[in-house]
Coordinates of all heavy atoms in Angstrom, one line a residue:
M1 N 61.9 61.0 22.2 CA 61.7 62.4 22.3 C 60.4 62.7 23.1 O 59.3 62.2 22.7 CB 61.6 63.1 20.9 CG 61.4 64.6 21.0 SD 61.6 65.4 19.4 CE 60.1 65.0 18.6
G2 N 60.5 63.4 24.2 CA 59.3 63.7 24.9 C 58.5 64.8 24.4 O 58.9 65.5 23.5
T3 N 57.3 65.0 25.0 CA 56.4 66.1 24.5 C 56.4 67.3 25.5 O 55.7 68.3 25.2 CB 55.0 65.6 24.2 OG1 54.5 65.0 25.4 CG2 55.0 64.6 23.1
R4 N 57.0 67.1 26.6 CA 56.9 68.2 27.6 C 57.6 69.4 27.0 O 58.7 69.3 26.5 CB 57.6 67.8 28.9 CG 56.7 67.0 29.7 CD 57.4 66.5 31.0 NE 56.6 65.4 31.5 CZ 56.2 65.3 32.7 NH1 56.5 66.3 33.6 NH2 55.5 64.3 33.1
G5 N 57.0 70.6 27.3 CA 57.6 71.8 26.8 C 57.3 72.1 25.3 O 57.6 73.1 24.8
C6 N 56.6 71.1 24.7 CA 56.2 71.4 23.3 C 55.1 72.4 23.3 O 54.1 72.2 24.0 CB 55.8 70.0 22.7 SG 55.1 70.2 21.0
N7 N 55.2 73.4 22.5 CA 54.2 74.4 22.5 C 53.3 74.4 21.2 O 52.5 75.3 20.9 CB 54.8 75.8 22.6 CG 55.8 76.1 21.5 OD1 55.9 75.3 20.6 ND2 56.5 77.3 21.6
Q8 N 53.4 73.3 20.5 CA 52.5 73.1 19.4 C 51.1 72.6 19.8 O 51.0 71.8 20.8 CB 53.1 72.1 18.4 CG 54.4 72.7 17.7 CD 54.9 71.8 16.7 OE1 54.5 70.7 16.5 NE2 55.9 72.3 15.9
I9 N 50.1 73.0 19.1 CA 48.8 72.6 19.4 C 48.5 71.2 18.7 O 48.8 71.1 17.5 CB 47.7 73.6 19.0 CG1 47.9 74.9 19.7 CG2 46.3 73.1 19.1 CD1 47.1 76.1 19.3
A10 N 48.0 70.3 19.5 CA 47.7 69.0 18.9 C 46.3 68.7 19.0 O 45.6 69.1 20.0 CB 48.6 67.9 19.6
S11 N 45.7 67.9 18.1 CA 44.3 67.5 18.3 C 44.2 66.2 19.0 O 45.1 65.3 18.9 CB 43.7 67.3 16.9 OG 44.3 66.3 16.2
L12 N 43.2 66.0 19.8 CA 42.9 64.8 20.5 C 41.6 64.3 20.1 O 40.7 65.1 19.8 CB 43.0 65.1 22.0 CG 44.3 65.5 22.6 CD1 44.1 65.9 24.1 CD2 45.3 64.4 22.5
S13 N 41.4 63.0 20.2 CA 40.1 62.4 20.0 C 39.8 61.5 21.1 O 40.7 60.9 21.7 CB 40.0 61.8 18.6 OG 40.9 60.6 18.6
E14 N 38.5 61.3 21.3 CA 38.0 60.3 22.3 C 37.1 59.4 21.7 O 36.4 59.7 20.8 CB 37.3 61.1 23.5 CG 38.2 62.0 24.3 CD 37.4 62.7 25.3 OE1 36.2 62.5 25.4 OE2 38.1 63.5 26.1
P15 N 37.1 58.1 22.1 CA 36.2 57.1 21.6 C 34.8 57.4 22.0 O 34.5 58.0 23.0 CB 36.6 55.8 22.1 CG 37.3 56.2 23.4 CD 37.9 57.5 23.2
G16 N 33.8 57.1 21.2 CA 32.4 57.3 21.5 C 31.6 56.0 21.0 O 32.1 55.3 20.2
P17 N 30.5 55.8 21.6 CA 29.7 54.7 21.2 C 29.4 54.7 19.7 O 29.0 55.7 19.2 CB 28.4 54.9 22.0 CG 28.7 55.7 23.2 CD 29.8 56.6 22.7
G18 N 29.6 53.6 19.1 CA 29.3 53.5 17.7 C 30.4 53.9 16.7 O 30.3 53.8 15.5
D19 N 31.6 54.3 17.3 CA 32.7 54.7 16.4 C 33.2 53.6 15.6 O 33.7 53.8 14.5 CB 33.9 55.2 17.3 CG 33.6 56.7 17.7 OD1 32.6 57.2 17.4 OD2 34.5 57.2 18.5
G20 N 33.0 52.3 16.1 CA 33.4 51.2 15.3 C 32.2 50.5 14.6 O 32.4 49.3 14.2
G21 N 31.1 51.1 14.5 CA 29.9 50.5 14.0 C 29.1 49.8 15.0 O 29.4 49.8 16.2
R22 N 28.1 49.1 14.6 CA 27.2 48.3 15.5 C 27.9 47.0 15.9 O 27.5 46.0 15.4 CB 25.8 48.1 14.9 CG 25.0 49.4 14.8 CD 23.6 49.1 14.4 NE 23.0 50.4 14.1 CZ 22.3 51.1 15.0 NH1 22.3 50.7 16.2 NH2 21.8 52.2 14.7
T23 N 28.9 47.1 16.7 CA 29.8 46.0 17.0 C 29.1 44.9 18.0 O 29.7 43.9 18.3 CB 31.1 46.5 17.6 OG1 30.8 47.4 18.6 CG2 32.0 47.1 16.6
G24 N 27.9 45.2 18.4 CA 27.2 44.3 19.2 C 27.0 42.9 18.6 O 27.0 41.9 19.2
S25 N 27.0 42.9 17.2 CA 26.8 41.6 16.5 C 28.0 40.7 16.5 O 28.0 39.6 16.2 CB 26.3 41.9 15.1 OG 27.3 42.6 14.4
W26 N 29.2 41.3 16.9 CA 30.4 40.5 17.0 C 30.4 39.6 18.2 O 31.2 38.7 18.3 CB 31.6 41.5 17.1 CG 31.9 42.4 16.0 CD1 31.1 42.6 14.9 CD2 33.0 43.3 15.9 NE1 31.6 43.5 14.1 CE2 32.8 44.0 14.7 CE3 34.1 43.6 16.7 CZ2 33.7 45.0 14.3 CZ3 35.0 44.5 16.3 CH2 34.8 45.2 15.1
R27 N 29.6 40.0 19.2 CA 29.7 39.4 20.5 C 29.4 37.9 20.6 O 28.4 37.4 20.1 CB 28.8 40.2 21.5 CG 29.2 40.2 22.9 CD 28.3 41.2 23.7 NE 26.9 41.0 23.5 CZ 26.1 41.9 23.0 NH1 26.5 43.1 22.7 NH2 24.8 41.6 22.8
V28 N 30.3 37.2 21.3 CA 30.1 35.8 21.6 C 29.8 35.6 23.0 O 29.0 34.8 23.4 CB 31.4 34.9 21.2 CG1 31.2 33.5 21.6 CG2 31.7 35.1 19.7
L29 N 30.5 36.5 23.8 CA 30.2 36.5 25.3 C 29.7 37.9 25.7 O 30.1 38.9 25.1 CB 31.5 36.3 26.1 CG 32.2 34.9 25.8 CD1 33.5 34.8 26.6 CD2 31.3 33.8 26.3
R30 N 28.7 37.9 26.6 CA 28.0 39.2 27.0 C 28.4 39.5 28.4 O 28.3 38.7 29.3 CB 26.5 39.0 26.9 CG 25.8 40.3 27.3 CD 24.3 40.0 27.4 NE 23.7 39.7 26.0 CZ 22.5 39.9 25.7 NH1 21.6 40.4 26.6 NH2 22.0 39.6 24.5
P31 N 29.0 40.7 28.6 CA 29.3 41.1 30.0 C 28.0 41.4 30.8 O 27.1 42.2 30.3 CB 30.1 42.4 29.8 CG 29.7 42.9 28.5 CD 29.2 41.8 27.7
V32 N 27.9 40.8 31.9 CA 26.7 41.1 32.8 C 27.1 41.6 34.1 O 28.0 40.9 34.8 CB 25.8 39.8 32.9 CG1 24.7 40.0 33.9 CG2 25.4 39.3 31.5
I33 N 26.6 42.7 34.5 CA 27.0 43.3 35.8 C 26.1 42.8 36.9 O 24.9 42.9 36.8 CB 26.9 44.8 35.7 CG1 27.9 45.4 34.7 CG2 27.3 45.4 37.1 CD1 27.8 46.9 34.4
D34 N 26.8 42.3 38.0 CA 26.0 41.8 39.2 C 26.0 43.0 40.1 O 27.0 43.5 40.7 CB 26.8 40.7 39.8 CG 26.1 40.2 41.1 OD1 25.1 40.8 41.5 OD2 26.6 39.2 41.7
T35 N 24.8 43.6 40.2 CA 24.6 44.9 41.0 C 24.7 44.6 42.5 O 24.9 45.5 43.3 CB 23.3 45.6 40.7 OG1 22.2 44.6 40.8 CG2 23.3 46.1 39.3
S36 N 24.7 43.3 42.9 CA 24.9 43.1 44.3 C 26.4 43.1 44.7 O 26.7 43.2 45.9 CB 24.3 41.7 44.7 OG 25.1 40.7 44.1
T37 N 27.3 43.1 43.8 CA 28.7 43.2 44.1 C 29.4 44.4 43.5 O 30.5 44.8 43.9 CB 29.5 41.9 43.6 OG1 29.1 41.6 42.3 CG2 29.1 40.7 44.5
C38 N 28.8 45.0 42.5 CA 29.3 46.2 41.8 C 29.4 47.3 42.9 O 28.4 47.6 43.6 CB 28.4 46.6 40.7 SG 28.7 48.3 40.1
I39 N 30.6 47.9 43.1 CA 30.8 48.8 44.2 C 29.9 50.0 44.2 O 29.2 50.3 45.2 CB 32.3 49.3 44.1 CG1 33.2 48.1 44.4 CG2 32.6 50.4 45.1 CD1 34.7 48.3 44.1
P40 N 29.7 50.8 43.1 CA 28.8 51.9 43.2 C 27.3 51.5 43.4 O 26.5 52.1 44.1 CB 28.9 52.7 41.9 CG 29.6 51.7 41.0 CD 30.4 50.8 41.9
A41 N 26.9 50.4 42.8 CA 25.6 49.9 43.0 C 25.3 49.4 44.4 O 24.3 49.7 45.0 CB 25.3 48.8 42.0
K42 N 26.3 48.8 45.0 CA 26.2 48.2 46.3 C 26.2 49.3 47.4 O 25.4 49.3 48.3 CB 27.3 47.2 46.5 CG 27.3 46.4 47.8 CD 28.4 45.4 47.8 CE 28.6 44.8 49.1 NZ 29.8 43.9 49.1
K43 N 27.1 50.3 47.2 CA 27.3 51.3 48.2 C 26.5 52.6 47.9 O 26.5 53.5 48.8 CB 28.8 51.6 48.4 CG 29.6 50.3 48.8 CD 30.9 50.7 49.3 CE 31.6 49.4 49.8 NZ 33.0 49.7 50.4
G44 N 26.0 52.7 46.7 CA 25.3 53.9 46.4 C 26.2 55.2 46.3 O 25.7 56.3 46.5
I45 N 27.4 55.0 45.9 CA 28.4 56.1 45.8 C 29.0 56.1 44.4 O 29.2 55.1 43.8 CB 29.5 56.0 46.9 CG1 30.2 54.7 46.8 CG2 28.9 56.3 48.2 CD1 31.4 54.6 47.7
M46 N 29.4 57.3 43.9 CA 30.0 57.4 42.6 C 31.5 57.1 42.8 O 32.4 57.9 43.1 CB 29.9 58.9 42.1 CG 28.5 59.2 41.8 SD 27.8 58.3 40.3 CE 28.6 59.2 39.0
A47 N 31.8 55.8 42.7 CA 33.2 55.3 42.9 C 33.5 54.2 42.0 O 32.5 53.6 41.4 CB 33.3 54.8 44.4
C48 N 34.7 53.9 41.8 CA 35.2 52.8 41.0 C 35.1 53.2 39.5 O 35.9 53.9 38.9 CB 34.5 51.5 41.3 SG 35.2 50.1 40.4
F49 N 34.1 52.6 38.8 CA 33.9 52.8 37.4 C 35.1 52.5 36.5 O 35.3 53.1 35.5 CB 33.4 54.3 37.1 CG 32.1 54.6 37.8 CD1 32.0 55.5 38.8 CD2 30.9 53.9 37.4 CE1 30.8 55.8 39.4 CE2 29.7 54.2 38.0 CZ 29.7 55.1 39.0
F50 N 35.9 51.5 37.0 CA 37.0 51.0 36.1 C 36.4 50.5 34.8 O 37.1 50.6 33.7 CB 37.7 49.9 36.8 CG 38.8 50.3 37.8 CD1 38.7 51.5 38.5 CD2 39.9 49.6 38.0 CE1 39.6 51.9 39.4 CE2 41.0 50.0 38.8 CZ 40.8 51.2 39.5
C51 N 35.2 49.9 34.8 CA 34.6 49.3 33.6 C 34.4 50.5 32.6 O 34.7 50.3 31.4 CB 33.4 48.6 33.9 SG 32.2 49.5 34.9
W52 N 33.8 51.5 33.1 CA 33.6 52.7 32.3 C 34.9 53.3 31.7 O 35.0 53.7 30.5 CB 32.9 53.8 33.1 CG 32.8 55.2 32.6 CD1 32.0 55.6 31.6 CD2 33.7 56.2 32.9 NE1 32.2 57.0 31.4 CE2 33.3 57.4 32.1 CE3 34.8 56.4 33.7 CZ2 34.0 58.6 32.2 CZ3 35.5 57.6 33.8 CH2 35.0 58.7 33.0
L53 N 35.9 53.3 32.6 CA 37.2 53.9 32.2 C 37.9 53.0 31.1 O 38.5 53.6 30.2 CB 38.1 54.0 33.4 CG 39.5 54.6 33.2 CD1 39.4 56.0 32.9 CD2 40.3 54.4 34.5
Y54 N 37.8 51.7 31.2 CA 38.6 50.9 30.4 C 37.9 50.4 29.1 O 38.5 49.9 28.2 CB 39.2 49.7 31.1 CG 40.4 50.1 32.0 CD1 40.2 50.2 33.4 CD2 41.6 50.4 31.4 CE1 41.3 50.5 34.2 CE2 42.7 50.7 32.3 CZ 42.5 50.8 33.6 OH 43.6 51.2 34.4
C55 N 36.6 50.5 29.1 CA 35.9 50.0 27.9 C 36.3 50.7 26.7 O 36.2 51.9 26.6 CB 34.3 50.2 28.1 SG 33.4 49.7 26.6
P56 N 36.9 50.0 25.7 CA 37.4 50.7 24.5 C 36.4 51.3 23.6 O 36.7 52.1 22.8 CB 38.2 49.6 23.8 CG 37.5 48.3 24.2 CD 37.1 48.6 25.6
D57 N 35.1 50.9 23.8 CA 34.0 51.4 23.0 C 33.2 52.4 23.7 O 32.2 52.9 23.1 CB 33.2 50.2 22.4 CG 33.9 49.5 21.3 OD1 34.7 50.1 20.6 OD2 33.7 48.3 21.2
A58 N 33.5 52.7 24.9 CA 32.8 53.7 25.7 C 31.3 53.4 25.7 O 30.5 54.3 25.5 CB 33.0 55.1 25.1
V59 N 31.0 52.2 26.0 CA 29.5 51.8 26.0 C 29.0 51.5 27.4 O 27.9 51.0 27.6 CB 29.3 50.6 25.1 CG1 29.6 50.9 23.6 CG2 30.0 49.3 25.5
I60 N 29.8 51.8 28.4 CA 29.4 51.6 29.8 C 29.1 53.0 30.4 O 29.9 53.9 30.2 CB 30.4 50.8 30.6 CG1 30.7 49.5 30.0 CG2 29.9 50.6 32.1 CD1 31.7 48.6 30.7
T61 N 28.0 53.2 31.1 CA 27.7 54.5 31.7 C 28.4 54.6 33.0 O 28.6 53.6 33.7 CB 26.2 54.6 31.9 OG1 25.7 53.6 32.7 CG2 25.4 54.6 30.5
R62 N 28.6 55.9 33.4 CA 29.2 56.2 34.7 C 28.0 56.6 35.6 O 27.8 57.7 35.9 CB 30.2 57.3 34.6 CG 31.1 57.5 35.8 CD 32.3 58.4 35.4 NE 33.0 58.8 36.6 CZ 32.8 59.9 37.3 NH1 31.9 60.8 36.8 NH2 33.5 60.1 38.4
T63 N 27.2 55.6 35.9 CA 26.0 55.8 36.6 C 25.8 54.8 37.7 O 26.6 53.8 37.7 CB 24.7 55.7 35.7 OG1 24.7 54.5 35.0 CG2 24.7 56.9 34.7
I64 N 24.9 55.0 38.6 CA 24.6 54.0 39.6 C 23.2 53.3 39.3 O 22.2 54.0 39.4 CB 24.5 54.6 41.0 CG1 25.8 55.3 41.4 CG2 24.1 53.6 42.1 CD1 25.8 56.1 42.7
P65 N 23.2 52.1 38.9 CA 24.3 51.2 38.6 C 24.8 51.5 37.2 O 24.1 52.1 36.4 CB 23.7 49.8 38.7 CG 22.3 50.0 38.2 CD 21.9 51.4 38.7
P66 N 26.1 51.1 36.9 CA 26.5 51.2 35.5 C 25.7 50.4 34.6 O 25.2 49.3 35.0 CB 28.0 50.7 35.5 CG 28.3 50.5 37.0 CD 27.0 50.4 37.7
T67 N 25.5 50.8 33.3 CA 24.8 50.0 32.4 C 25.6 49.9 31.1 O 26.5 50.7 30.8 CB 23.4 50.7 32.0 OG1 23.6 51.9 31.4 CG2 22.5 50.8 33.2
I68 N 25.3 48.8 30.4 CA 26.1 48.5 29.1 C 25.2 48.6 27.9 O 24.1 48.0 28.0 CB 26.7 47.1 29.2 CG1 27.7 47.0 30.4 CG2 27.4 46.8 27.9 CD1 28.1 45.6 30.8
D69 N 25.6 49.3 26.9 CA 24.8 49.4 25.7 C 25.2 48.2 24.8 O 26.3 48.2 24.2 CB 25.1 50.7 24.9 CG 24.2 50.9 23.7 OD1 23.7 49.9 23.2 OD2 24.1 52.1 23.3
Y70 N 24.3 47.2 24.8 CA 24.7 46.0 24.0 C 24.6 46.1 22.5 O 25.0 45.2 21.8 CB 23.7 44.8 24.5 CG 24.0 44.4 26.0 CD1 23.0 44.5 26.9 CD2 25.3 43.9 26.3 CE1 23.3 44.2 28.2 CE2 25.5 43.5 27.6 CZ 24.5 43.7 28.6 OH 24.8 43.3 29.9
E71 N 24.0 47.2 22.1 CA 24.0 47.5 20.6 C 25.4 47.6 20.1 O 25.7 47.3 19.0 CB 23.3 48.8 20.4 CG 23.0 49.1 18.9 CD 21.8 48.4 18.4 OE1 21.0 47.9 19.2 OE2 21.7 48.2 17.2
Y72 N 26.3 48.1 21.0 CA 27.7 48.4 20.5 C 28.7 47.6 21.3 O 29.9 47.6 20.8 CB 28.0 49.9 20.7 CG 27.1 50.8 19.8 CD1 26.0 51.5 20.4 CD2 27.2 50.8 18.5 CE1 25.2 52.2 19.7 CE2 26.3 51.5 17.7 CZ 25.3 52.3 18.3 OH 24.4 53.0 17.5
C73 N 28.4 47.0 22.4 CA 29.4 46.2 23.1 C 29.8 45.0 22.3 O 29.0 44.2 21.9 CB 28.8 45.7 24.5 SG 29.7 44.3 25.2
K74 N 31.1 44.9 22.0 CA 31.6 43.8 21.2 C 32.0 42.6 21.9 O 32.5 41.6 21.4 CB 32.7 44.3 20.3 CG 34.0 44.8 21.0 CD 35.0 45.2 20.0 CE 36.3 45.7 20.6 NZ 36.2 47.2 20.8
G75 N 31.9 42.6 23.3 CA 32.2 41.4 24.1 C 33.6 41.1 24.3 O 34.0 40.0 24.5
C76 N 34.5 42.1 24.3 CA 35.9 41.9 24.4 C 36.3 41.4 25.8 O 37.4 40.8 26.0 CB 36.7 43.2 24.1 SG 36.4 44.5 25.3
G77 N 35.5 41.7 26.8 CA 35.8 41.2 28.2 C 36.8 42.1 29.0 O 37.1 41.7 30.1
I78 N 37.2 43.2 28.5 CA 38.2 44.0 29.2 C 37.5 44.5 30.5 O 38.1 44.6 31.6 CB 38.6 45.2 28.3 CG1 39.5 44.7 27.2 CG2 39.4 46.3 29.2 CD1 39.9 45.8 26.2
C79 N 36.2 44.9 30.4 CA 35.5 45.4 31.6 C 35.6 44.3 32.7 O 35.8 44.6 33.9 CB 34.1 45.8 31.3 SG 33.2 44.5 30.5
A80 N 35.3 43.1 32.4 CA 35.3 42.0 33.3 C 36.7 41.8 33.9 O 36.9 41.5 35.1 CB 34.8 40.7 32.7
E81 N 37.7 41.9 33.1 CA 39.1 41.8 33.5 C 39.5 42.9 34.5 O 40.2 42.7 35.5 CB 40.1 41.8 32.4 CG 40.2 40.6 31.5 CD 40.8 39.4 32.3 OE1 41.8 39.7 33.0 OE2 40.4 38.3 32.2
E82 N 39.0 44.1 34.3 CA 39.4 45.2 35.1 C 38.6 45.5 36.3 O 39.0 46.2 37.2 CB 39.4 46.5 34.2 CG 40.4 46.5 33.1 CD 41.9 46.4 33.5 OE1 42.2 46.8 34.6 OE2 42.7 45.9 32.7
C83 N 37.4 44.9 36.4 CA 36.5 45.1 37.5 C 37.2 44.6 38.8 O 37.5 43.4 38.9 CB 35.2 44.4 37.3 SG 34.1 44.6 38.8
P84 N 37.5 45.5 39.8 CA 38.2 45.0 41.0 C 37.3 44.2 41.9 O 37.8 43.5 42.8 CB 38.6 46.3 41.7 CG 37.6 47.3 41.2 CD 37.2 46.9 39.8
A85 N 36.0 44.2 41.7 CA 35.1 43.5 42.6 C 34.6 42.2 42.0 O 33.9 41.4 42.6 CB 33.9 44.3 42.9
G86 N 35.1 41.9 40.7 CA 34.6 40.7 40.1 C 33.1 40.7 39.8 O 32.5 39.6 39.8
A87 N 32.6 41.9 39.6 CA 31.2 42.0 39.4 C 30.7 41.8 38.0 O 29.5 41.8 37.8 CB 30.7 43.4 39.9
I88 N 31.6 41.6 37.1 CA 31.2 41.5 35.7 C 31.5 40.1 35.2 O 32.7 39.7 35.3 CB 31.8 42.5 34.7 CG1 31.5 43.9 35.2 CG2 31.3 42.3 33.3 CD1 32.1 45.0 34.4
K89 N 30.5 39.3 34.8 CA 30.7 38.0 34.3 C 30.5 38.0 32.8 O 29.5 38.6 32.3 CB 29.7 37.0 35.0 CG 30.0 36.9 36.5 CD 31.1 36.0 36.9 CE 31.4 36.0 38.4 NZ 32.3 37.0 38.9
M90 N 31.3 37.2 32.1 CA 31.1 37.1 30.7 C 30.2 35.8 30.4 O 30.7 34.7 30.8 CB 32.4 37.0 29.9 CG 33.3 38.2 30.1 SD 32.6 39.8 29.6 CE 32.5 39.5 27.8
V91 N 29.0 36.0 29.9 CA 28.1 34.9 29.8 C 27.9 34.6 28.3 O 27.8 35.6 27.5 CB 26.7 35.3 30.4 CG1 25.7 34.2 30.3 CG2 26.9 35.7 31.9
K92 N 27.8 33.4 27.9 CA 27.6 33.0 26.5 C 26.4 33.7 25.9 O 25.3 33.6 26.5 CB 27.4 31.5 26.4 CG 28.7 30.7 26.4 CD 28.4 29.2 26.2 CE 29.7 28.4 26.3 NZ 29.5 27.0 26.2
E93 N 26.6 34.3 24.8 CA 25.5 35.0 24.1 C 24.4 34.1 23.8 O 23.2 34.5 23.9 CB 26.1 35.7 22.9 CG 25.2 36.7 22.3 CD 25.0 37.9 23.2 OE1 25.9 38.3 23.9 OE2 23.8 38.4 23.2
S94 N 24.6 32.8 23.5 CA 23.6 31.9 23.2 C 22.6 31.7 24.3 O 21.4 31.3 24.1 CB 24.2 30.6 22.8 OG 25.0 30.0 23.8
T95 N 23.0 32.1 25.5 CA 22.1 31.9 26.7 C 20.9 32.9 26.6 O 19.9 32.6 27.2 CB 22.9 32.3 28.0 OG1 24.1 31.6 28.0 CG2 22.1 32.1 29.3
F96 N 21.1 34.0 25.9 CA 20.1 35.0 25.8 C 19.2 34.9 24.6 O 18.2 35.7 24.5 CB 20.8 36.4 25.8 CG 21.6 36.6 27.0 CD1 23.0 36.4 27.0 CD2 21.1 37.1 28.2 CE1 23.8 36.5 28.1 CE2 21.9 37.3 29.3 CZ 23.3 37.0 29.3
V97 N 19.4 33.9 23.8 CA 18.6 33.8 22.5 C 17.2 33.2 22.9 O 17.2 32.3 23.7 CB 19.3 33.1 21.4 CG1 18.5 33.2 20.1 CG2 20.7 33.6 21.2
Ligands
SF4_101 S1 34.4 48.1 37.6 FE1 33.1 46.6 38.6 S2 32.7 47.4 40.6 FE2 33.6 49.0 39.4 S3 31.8 50.2 38.6 FE3 32.3 48.6 37.0 S4 31.1 46.8 37.5 FE4 31.0 48.1 39.3
SF4_102 S1 32.9 43.6 26.8 FE1 33.0 45.3 28.3 S2 34.9 46.4 27.7 FE2 34.4 45.2 26.0 S3 33.1 46.4 24.6 FE3 31.7 45.3 26.0 S4 31.3 46.7 27.7 FE4 33.1 47.4 26.7

């Protein structure tokens, strides 16, 4: 059954940083953005932002360059999978200790 033509009011919700708690402690791999290949960072234009769009925790900013809030990033790697420029690498968290 489709929803087109449905005149009932429905509620919608959007994810926000921290909705799942401080999930940064779950992380085994950390996404790192290479600003020399990231499209908006490289070209200085508000374009792409697939990482921002697909991050399930909404922890990537839609800015030049995009930034990641590691307090809440759980390291799922979706951003790295979706980046069309291959600008996000998943790096072992132990590298940063
Ligand atoms: S998806 Fe990749 S190229 Fe696009 S904004 Fe994010 S890091 Fe940059
Ligand atoms: S790995 Fe990427 S997609 Fe996953 S939570 Fe962290 S920033 Fe978001």
Side-chain angles (χ1 to χ4, degrees):
M1 180 170 79
T3 54
R4 279 176 200 235
C6 176
N7 58 5
Q8 291 185 352
I9 297 172
S11 64
L12 295 171
S13 64
E14 295 179 356
D19 282 357
R22 290 185 188 274
T23 46
S25 61
W26 297 3
R27 206 172 49 242
V28 175
L29 298 174
R30 178 185 297 202
V32 176
I33 299 174
D34 178 357
T35 53
S36 69
T37 50
C38 166
I39 294 165
K42 187 175 168 185
K43 299 192 173 183
I45 55 172
M46 293 293 281
C48 185
F49 297 115
F50 275 34
C51 53
W52 166 81
L53 181 66
Y54 285 105
C55 173
D57 286 329
V59 298
I60 304 181
T61 59
R62 192 166 172 266
T63 55
I64 301 173
T67 61
I68 299 169
D69 186 341
Y70 292 119
E71 188 80 20
Y72 300 106
C73 163
K74 61 178 179 268
C76 67
I78 292 173
C79 54
E81 282 291 321
E82 296 297 336
C83 175
I88 303 178
K89 297 282 178 267
M90 299 303 291
V91 180
K92 279 185 183 173
E93 194 62 36
S94 56
T95 308
F96 302 93
V97 190

